[in-house]
Amino acid sequence: NKRTKIKDLLSGEQVGQEVIVMGWVRSFRNNQFVAINDGSTNNNIQIVIELGLIDEVTAKRITTGASLKVSGTLIESLGKGQKVEIKATSLEILGDSDAEKYPLQPKKHSLEFLREKAHLRFRTNTFGAVFRVRHALAFAIHQFFNERGFVYLHTPILTASDAEGAGEMFQVTTLPLNNLPKKENNEIDFSQDFFGKATNLTVSGQLEGELGAMAFSDIYTFGPTFRAENSNTTRHLAEFWMIEPEMAFYDLEDNRILAEEFIKYLIGYAMKHNREDLEFLDTRLKEEEKSLPQEKRSELGLIEKLEFVLNNNFEHISYSEAIDILLASPAYKKKKFKYEIKWGIDLQSEHERYLVEKHFKKPVIVTDYPKDIKAFYMRQNDDGKTVAAMDILAPGIGEIVGGSQREERLDKLEKRMKEMDIPADEMSWYLDTRRFGSVPHAGFGLGFERMVLFVTGMTNIRDVIPFARTPKNCEF
Ligand code: ATP
Ligand code: MG
Ligand code: MG
Ligand code: MG
């Protein structure tokens, strides 16, 4: 297979050489020019077919979506629009595509329509760009942590713990569903289940990650995460990917600094390595927004927004300050918020977006949330009311990171678990880290798809994951 990828052909270095290219037909004009794409870039390569090279039957089979193998000479293009093209010396059809039935017609399709054609939407320019950027970000994540000496620790997908205590778990069982063994009190008897106890798909790798940090100092996990929550929003999926670093000897401030550095690193990486795709997405967004009234359009283009984020510090406020800002806001006075605002509430997306988009106009890190709305493992502050938590809020999205310094003091942790009805005996493996050489430590979780949303400027989380799982939707 001496095939050259289209991206490399377009760089023009091989002009004058014999090349082989394979890909899918995007268009065929004047019985002479075929544009093909192989997914390495949104740009197609033009194939020039001279009279007599192929018979009429073959010509008819060159339809949108058909796959081809072409050999020929890479030459400088005579026409406008592309630098190079291939003068074909042979053309072979690898797979036919019925032009009448091909689901992607050469018109603009809505994202909703394409979601139902998930198997073919990869062949569109929008999704081509989105998924190449997604790939690049995944790669950059490993590079960032590897450069800093973090160990990539694989935390389990099958687990018996509910780290978040939110009860949003997918249960896993091998018990016969039509004949569940019951205990005397009529509860399901999981002792007969595969693991001998109730298990579920992981909602977070954090607790296991903490065990890693207590030995390797710095670890991260990066894997699929499952939450059976009502994900009928543009920001929630039932299956999403999360990056969770966990660091020993870190306090909340160290954690905050690392998270900001990490997000900027990812943006910088994409800006450097995926410029063409980001420019495409930038233009796409501007086109989309043309139909919106002026006040609803973004002030900055996608690239301008990313540059701005790279070049400015994130704002840092406490939860209490956030509440004060919201209560003093014109939006609050005009009763624009749907959810009530008072100290103690969990910030809703509308509140987060107000802080980021209207008030500060930059990413915001909110720290020190009320303990009652956060998980048991967060470190308790001396005020007795708040914990050393942090959320990072991004424009257009709201929360993209949730993190905290962890409670490393055994007595305080046990007391909190008791208050929250978390059985300490089942968590003994976790509490051991506090029994034997406990140290201050901290970590955070970045929702990978929310990061991809942010970098690509897409607005629905279903459009940045190859196969979206949402309520009532697990087709393919
Ligand atoms: P939210 O408030 O948006 O529901 P969360 O506070 O429940 O998020 P965390 O438990 O803090 O989420 O998880 C860490 C990160 O994982 C979040 O900041 C977010 O980026 C991402 N995340 C959480 N739930 C989902 C989901 N259902 N789909 C996609 N990403 C998610
Ligand atoms: Mg949630
Ligand atoms: Mg939240
Ligand atoms: Mg959170």
Side-chain angles (χ1 to χ4, degrees), residues 325-339 341 350-351 353-355 358-359:
I325 290 168
L326 290 167
L327 286 175
S329 69
Y332 181 75
K333 295 202 175 103
K334 287 190 206 139
K335 300 198 184 335
K336 288 256 167 85
F337 294 116
K338 204 171 125 209
Y339 293 90
I341 301 170
E350 57 173 0
H351 307 138
R353 294 187 58 174
Y354 179 86
L355 291 169
K358 296 275 182 334
H359 192 83

Side-chain angles (χ1 to χ4, degrees), residues 212-343:
M214 292 300 203
F216 298 104
S217 303
D218 300 321
I219 64 97
Y220 70 107
T221 75
F222 178 18
T225 311
F226 306 86
R227 294 197 187 171
E229 60 188 330
N230 180 12
S231 17
N232 279 315
T233 74
T234 54
R235 312 178 306 139
H236 290 92
L237 291 163
E239 176 178 319
F240 64 101
W241 284 61
M242 187 150 60
I243 302 104
E244 295 177 277
E246 189 70 36
M247 295 76 61
F249 320 112
Y250 265 55
D251 63 13
L252 189 63
E253 195 188 346
D254 300 324
N255 202 22
R256 187 160 60 72
I257 291 168
L258 183 79
E260 179 169 341
E261 192 187 327
F262 178 46
I263 289 169
K264 288 180 173 173
Y265 183 96
L266 297 184
I267 294 172
Y269 186 94
M271 295 274 269
K272 185 162 169 220
H273 298 271
N274 296 73
R275 192 75 197 186
E276 202 180 84
D277 286 327
L278 291 180
E279 276 166 9
F280 173 87
L281 291 165
D282 191 335
T283 308
R284 180 198 158 271
L285 207 62
K286 288 192 179 113
E287 290 288 321
E288 290 271 297
E289 291 192 349
K290 270 191 191 151
S291 61
L292 297 177
Q294 189 68 42
E295 70 272 11
K296 292 232 160 136
R297 294 187 205 159
S298 317
E299 278 173 40
L300 300 177
L302 177 63
I303 300 222
E304 288 166 329
K305 176 189 83 174
L306 295 175
E307 261 159 11
F308 178 85
V309 172
L310 269 185
N311 296 324
N312 288 278
N313 290 333
F314 293 4
E315 194 68 38
H316 171 210
I317 55 170
S318 69
Y319 169 89
S320 299
E321 284 169 313
I323 293 292
D324 289 345
I325 290 168
L326 290 167
L327 286 175
S329 69
Y332 181 75
K333 295 202 175 103
K334 287 190 206 139
K335 300 198 184 335
K336 288 256 167 85
F337 294 116
K338 204 171 125 209
Y339 293 90
E340 89 159 317
I341 301 170
K342 62 171 194 211
W343 200 96

Side-chain angles (χ1 to χ4, degrees), residues 10 18 93 127 143 167 217 225 274 408 423 427 440 446 460 463:
L10 292 175
E18 294 304 303
I93 296 187
F127 289 100
Q143 186 168 292
S217 303
T225 311
N274 296 73
E408 84 281 14
M427 300 288 290
L446 169 68
N460 191 317
D463 295 327

Side-chain angles (χ1 to χ4, degrees), residues 368-369 379-389 407 409:
D368 303 294
Y369 282 74
R379 192 175 199 277
Q380 295 157 52
N381 289 330
D382 294 339
D383 63 10
K385 291 190 304 195
T386 61
V387 285
E407 182 55 83
R409 298 162 296 189

Side-chain angles (χ1 to χ4, degrees), residues 346-347 352 374 391 399:
D346 199 0
L347 296 180
E352 297 175 341
K374 290 291 183 188
D391 276 12
E399 176 179 343

